[in-house]
């Protein structure tokens, strides 16, 4: 069971973290001891005039300190990796109960005018995005959002399904991908500045600078040697360094601009390198994953190596931000010229590929998110698709945002265009939840994901909802008029020429007006939609609408019912054929203290 596996892995990684933390603390103490010992040793040797010994000890102390520093950093990385892997498995366990440890809700991607995202909780505190999201890069989260918001051709959906099936059992590989990203949160920052720099044509440095970058430092080092030997006056070195400063002034503005465009991404580039390197390891068979790997491989160098090289160049260029380094070393070596030239060479060779590499990584993260859901829910079905006519066959479908053991499954089939499933029922009986159950599973299916059902067959459709229309003070719009605007959008959409028919979900249709107008309006809309290729669901309290089925065979009546048992309302949340004949508004009003029995009319 996934829950057991996640729990066991969390325990194992917590133990690894404790072990690595102990090693980290030991090395921290050893570094302090090494430093203090070196200081005392140098003081002792210098005090006794043993200059050669002091120099030797100093060199040994520096080398030893650097070795300890490198080991310390490696143990720190091992500790942090184990901590994040433990967190990843704890997060997976919580997701099974529909509790979320990660803060990202996806609300920054929400569009109030989207055909279905708001009504189906695609984004938000308790949303599909939060259930699926295992992305970490800036582009990765946007790619996953696009999966949920923008259906793609069926061929692309099928490619995603194959990729998810291949990734699903690779638990170690998938969690390692996430852990590598967790090691550096800056991968969540926008790389737009970096991409802009990479795609902007390089401006070649003047030829004389390419010669002077080697000639001047060589001459100046020679002058310094002669000055130290007492063969030249000090002003000769000063004049030479002023020439260096003059040369650097010719590229100072350009170096400053490049530094500003790349500085924020220094650490992120190292993580991009690690993530792309991780993508290279398995030999994938599915077409989409194979394509991702192909994009990240060039003839003479992989994307990981190229990004790693860029990271080192950017990091070295940005040493110029340290004034001590710049004064003591940057001016002497013409540092800016060397690294601007190296970055230009990188840009000319790899710049056009950078956006493709980041997009390939984003695609891998989005697919990893879908595979994570599939692994965590082995009972979820892989959807099948039927293209000939509009078709939906949901068997034992549940709402994916409800915990598996606490939700009620229902089944329903729609065949053909122009069909309307009319759902009547009492308050709180499950009408809205059922509409969202079908709608959210459709969104998952069209994204390439598994769905919360035993079997799910559907056609490629345009999902459209009108379920949570609200008034708007800003737009001076009542909730009823907001619903009318939404319905107009539906009508307009059904008139557009598209290969994919509309499948609509209308909850409590025209609830903002009187019963007579609501009935006439709903009846007219159902009949009008029948004349298009659209099919869909309409939930309502208006049982008279159910009479349409007698003379219009494209209307199909279903209902949810409630019972009063020993004075208490009970719901079984089971979808049944036919019009609802039991309503509970009076009982609900009685339950909150309205004395319905006392103040009856007549």
């Amino acid at each position: 069971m996934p829950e057991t596996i996640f729990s066991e892995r969390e325990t194992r990684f917590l133990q690894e973290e404790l072990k690595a933390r102990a090693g980290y603390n030991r090395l921290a103490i050893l570094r302090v001891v090494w430093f203090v010992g070196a200081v005392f040793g140098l003081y002792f040797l210098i005090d006794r005039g043993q200059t050669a010994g002091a120099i030797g000890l100093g060199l040994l102390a520096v080398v030893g300190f650097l070795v300890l520093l490198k080991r310390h950093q490696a143990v720190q990385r091992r500790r942090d990796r184990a901590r994040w892997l433990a967190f990843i498995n704890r997060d997976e366990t919580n997701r099974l109960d529909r509790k979320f440890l990660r803060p990202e809700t996806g609300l920054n991607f929400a569009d109030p005018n989207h055909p279905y995202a708001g009504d189906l909780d695609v984004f938000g505190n308790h949303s599909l995005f939060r259930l699926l999201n295992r992305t970490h890069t800036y582009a990765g989260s946007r790619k996953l959002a696009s999966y949920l918001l923008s259906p793609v051709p069926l061929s692309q959906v099928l490619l995603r399904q194959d990729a998810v099936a291949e990734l699903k059992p690779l638990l170690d590989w998938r969690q390692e991908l996430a852990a590598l990203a967790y090691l550096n949160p800056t991968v969540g920052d926008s790389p737009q500045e970096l991409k802009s720099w990479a795609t902007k044509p390089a401006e070649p440095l003047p030829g004389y600078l390419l010669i002077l970058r080697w000639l001047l430092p060589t001459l100046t080092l020679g002058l310094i040697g002669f000055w130290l030997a007492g063969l030249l006056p000090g002003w000769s070195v000063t004049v030479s360094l002023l020439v260096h400063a003059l040369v650097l002034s010719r590229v100072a503005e350009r170096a400053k601009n490049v530094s500003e465009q790349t500085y924020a991404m220094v650490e992120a580039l190292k993580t991009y390198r690690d993530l792309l390197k991780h993508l290279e390891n398995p030999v994938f068979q599915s077409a989409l994953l194979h394509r991702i790997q192909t994009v990240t491989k060039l003839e003479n160098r992989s994307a990981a190596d190229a990004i790693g090289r860029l990271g080192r160049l950017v990091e070295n260029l940005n040493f110029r931000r340290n004034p001590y380094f710049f004064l003591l070393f940057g001016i002497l070596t013409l540092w800016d010229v060397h690294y601007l030239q190296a970055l230009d060479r990188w840009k000319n060779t790899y710049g056009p590929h950078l956006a493709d590499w980041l997009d390939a990584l984003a695609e891998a993260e989005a697919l990893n998110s879908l595979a994570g859901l599939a692994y965590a829910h082995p009972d979820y079905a892989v959807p099948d698709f039927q293209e000939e006519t509009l078709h939906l066959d949901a068997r034992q479908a549940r709402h994916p945002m409800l915990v598996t053991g606490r939700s009620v499954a229902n089944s329903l089939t729609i065949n053909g265009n122009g069909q309307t499933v009319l759902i009547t029922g009492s308050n709180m009986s499950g009408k809205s939840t059922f509409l969202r159950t079908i709608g959210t599973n459709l969104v998952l299916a069209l994204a390439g994901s598994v769905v919360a059902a035993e079997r799910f067959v559907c056609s490629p459709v345009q999902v459209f909802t009108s379920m949570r229309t609200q008034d708007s003070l800003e737009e001076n719009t009542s909730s009823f008029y907001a619903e009318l605007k939404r319905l107009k959008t539906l009508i307009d959409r059904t008139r557009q020429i598209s290969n994919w028919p509309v499948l609509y979900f209308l909850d409590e249709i025209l609830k903002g007006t009187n019963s007579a107008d609501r009935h006439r309006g709903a009846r007219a809309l159902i009949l009008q939609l029948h004349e298009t290729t659209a099919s869909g669901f309409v939930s309502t309290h208006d049982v008279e609408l159910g009479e349409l089925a007698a003379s219009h065979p494209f209307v199909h009546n279903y209902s949810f019912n409630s019972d009063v048992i020993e004075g208490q309302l009970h719901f079984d949340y089971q979808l049944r054929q036919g019009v609802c004949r039991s309503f509970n508004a009076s009982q609900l009003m009685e339950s909150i203290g309205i004395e319905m029995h006392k103040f009856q009319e007549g």
Side-chain angles (χ1 to χ4, degrees):
M1 292 292 290
E3 186 173 10
T4 303
I5 294 173
F6 294 143
S7 180
E8 290 175 350
R9 288 173 67 87
E10 180 186 359
T11 301
R12 173 158 63 89
F13 289 122
L14 285 174
Q15 291 171 348
E16 288 184 17
E17 181 197 358
L18 289 174
K19 183 178 178 181
R21 185 186 301 170
Y24 179 85
N25 293 337
R26 285 194 299 271
L27 281 170
I29 295 171
L30 184 57
R31 284 176 61 190
V32 173
V33 171
W34 183 271
F35 177 78
V36 173
V39 170
F40 277 106
L42 288 171
Y43 175 80
F44 178 82
L45 292 173
I46 293 172
D47 186 56
R48 282 159 178 73
Q50 299 182 21
T51 306
I55 293 174
L57 178 61
L59 292 174
L60 178 63
V62 170
V63 171
F65 191 82
L66 291 176
V67 170
L68 287 174
L69 176 62
K70 189 170 184 178
R71 288 193 61 187
H72 204 193
Q73 290 173 336
V75 173
Q76 180 186 24
R77 182 180 176 85
R78 197 157 61 243
R79 179 203 65 186
D80 292 345
R81 171 186 170 276
R83 183 177 74 247
W84 284 118
L85 283 168
F87 173 83
I88 287 166
N89 284 279
R90 183 163 64 254
D91 178 48
E92 292 288 357
T93 302
N94 276 269
R95 287 176 195 244
L96 295 175
D97 289 328
R98 299 307 183 255
K99 299 174 183 176
F100 305 102
L101 301 183
R102 291 185 58 174
E104 301 90 350
T105 62
L107 283 173
N108 50 312
F109 306 120
D111 175 5
N113 297 316
H114 191 269
Y116 56 79
D119 289 334
L120 298 183
D121 298 310
V122 173
F123 305 112
N125 289 328
H126 200 70
S127 63
L128 287 181
F129 181 84
R130 216 164 183 194
L131 176 65
L132 287 169
N133 185 32
R134 290 160 178 86
T135 67
H136 296 273
T137 67
Y138 180 87
S141 60
R142 277 148 184 77
K143 181 68 72 174
L144 178 60
S146 74
Y147 276 20
L148 297 172
L149 291 175
S150 307
V152 293
L154 182 56
S155 59
Q156 186 68 18
V157 176
L158 297 176
L159 288 175
R160 290 177 186 173
Q161 285 187 343
D162 290 343
V164 169
E166 185 171 7
L167 286 175
K168 176 182 172 180
L170 304 181
L171 181 61
D172 287 330
W173 186 90
R174 291 189 293 101
Q175 291 195 350
E176 186 68 26
L177 183 73
L180 288 171
Y182 266 124
L183 290 173
N184 183 8
T186 60
V187 295
D189 297 337
S190 172
Q192 189 55 48
E193 285 289 333
L194 181 68
K195 290 164 70 175
S196 297
W197 168 81
T199 53
K200 184 179 179 181
E203 300 176 10
L205 292 173
Y208 73 89
L209 287 181
L210 301 182
I211 298 173
L212 290 179
R213 67 183 174 131
W214 297 112
L215 182 60
L216 277 180
T218 303
L219 291 174
T220 302
L221 286 172
L223 290 175
I224 291 173
F226 284 121
W227 169 61
L228 291 174
L231 300 176
L232 284 176
W235 60 262
S236 61
V237 175
T238 303
V239 170
S240 181
L241 290 175
L242 287 175
V243 174
H244 282 235
L246 180 63
V247 170
L248 288 174
S249 69
R250 303 298 302 272
V251 297
E253 186 64 25
R254 181 173 171 183
K256 177 175 176 291
N257 291 336
V258 173
S259 176
E260 288 176 348
Q261 286 183 296
T262 59
Y263 177 68
M265 296 300 294
V266 169
E267 293 302 318
L269 283 169
K270 297 177 183 178
T271 303
Y272 283 136
R273 174 202 62 201
D274 294 341
L275 293 171
L276 288 167
K277 192 73 176 176
H278 192 64
L279 275 178
E280 296 173 4
N281 291 333
V283 179
F284 290 122
Q285 302 301 318
S286 61
L288 186 52
L289 291 172
H290 181 71
R291 185 191 307 164
I292 289 172
Q293 287 188 319
T294 301
V295 168
T296 60
K297 292 178 182 177
L298 302 177
E299 291 183 3
N300 59 344
R301 175 172 276 184
S302 69
D305 291 339
I307 289 285
R309 168 69 174 161
L310 177 60
R312 291 189 296 274
L313 292 175
V314 167
E315 184 175 33
N316 290 346
L317 172 67
N318 282 287
F319 286 162
R320 71 188 304 280
R321 289 171 169 258
N322 185 315
Y324 301 107
F325 174 87
F326 192 74
L327 289 172
L328 295 175
F329 198 72
I331 294 176
L332 175 64
T333 60
L334 296 179
W335 190 263
D336 287 355
V337 179
H338 285 283
Y339 279 94
L340 285 175
Q341 173 64 8
L343 284 167
D344 279 349
R345 283 201 304 268
W346 190 97
K347 182 192 290 190
N348 288 330
T349 306
Y350 303 113
H353 302 288
L354 179 63
D356 293 335
W357 294 339
L358 298 183
D359 187 66
L361 178 57
E363 189 92 52
E365 283 196 295
L367 292 170
N368 182 38
S369 294
L370 302 188
L373 179 69
Y375 183 89
H377 296 278
D379 57 326
Y380 279 18
V382 177
D384 293 316
F385 293 93
Q386 178 176 311
E387 290 189 87
E388 289 75 17
T389 58
L390 192 151
H391 179 78
L392 174 67
D393 182 9
R395 303 284 180 86
Q396 295 300 297
R398 304 184 301 276
H399 196 301
M401 294 309 300
L402 296 177
V403 179
T404 299
R406 304 172 203 165
S407 57
V408 177
N410 282 291
S411 302
L412 184 137
T413 301
I414 296 181
N415 273 308
N417 302 99
Q419 307 295 304
T420 297
V421 174
L422 189 65
I423 302 178
T424 52
S426 54
N427 295 288
M428 304 189 308
S429 59
K431 301 187 302 298
S432 300
T433 300
F434 178 72
L435 264 59
R436 290 190 173 91
T437 294
I438 301 299
T440 52
N441 279 306
L442 266 171
V443 171
L444 288 174
L446 296 173
S449 173
V450 295
V451 298
E454 289 184 3
R455 172 175 166 78
F456 199 86
V457 183
C458 65
S459 305
V461 293
Q462 301 179 65
V463 178
F464 186 91
T465 63
S466 178
M467 304 177 77
R468 285 180 178 152
T469 51
Q470 296 178 341
D471 57 357
S472 171
L473 291 176
E474 182 179 350
E475 298 181 7
N476 193 27
T477 302
S478 68
S479 58
F480 178 64
Y481 189 67
E483 183 180 8
L484 292 181
K485 289 172 63 178
R486 190 74 177 171
L487 294 177
K488 181 182 185 304
T489 303
L490 168 61
I491 293 169
D492 292 342
R493 187 172 288 265
T494 61
R495 291 171 175 168
Q496 296 172 359
I497 299 175
S498 173
N499 293 329
W500 290 16
V502 173
L503 187 64
Y504 54 84
F505 298 82
L506 310 180
D507 188 32
E508 301 291 355
I509 187 172
L510 299 175
K511 53 185 171 292
T513 188
N514 63 76
S515 299
D517 285 341
R518 179 174 67 238
H519 177 80
R520 287 195 298 270
R523 183 180 185 279
L525 179 62
I526 290 171
L527 296 178
Q528 181 175 341
L529 290 173
H530 170 64
E531 297 176 352
T532 71
T533 60
S535 292
F537 298 80
V538 175
S539 75
T540 181
H541 289 284
D542 184 0
V543 295
E544 292 181 7
L545 274 179
E547 297 174 3
L548 279 172
S551 54
H552 300 85
F554 58 84
V555 177
H556 312 276
N557 283 314
Y558 287 85
S559 62
F560 287 94
N561 295 271
S562 62
D563 296 303
V564 179
I565 302 175
E566 297 181 357
Q568 297 294 320
L569 277 172
H570 290 269
F571 304 93
D572 62 10
Y573 305 111
Q574 289 291 338
L575 184 70
R576 294 179 172 84
Q577 286 191 327
V579 177
C580 176
R581 298 303 178 188
S582 63
F583 289 89
N584 58 23
S586 297
Q587 291 94 331
L588 288 172
M589 288 185 280
E590 287 271 6
S591 70
I592 66 165
I594 299 177
E595 299 176 353
M596 299 290 292
H597 63 284
K598 182 176 180 180
F599 298 103
Q600 295 292 326
E601 292 184 9

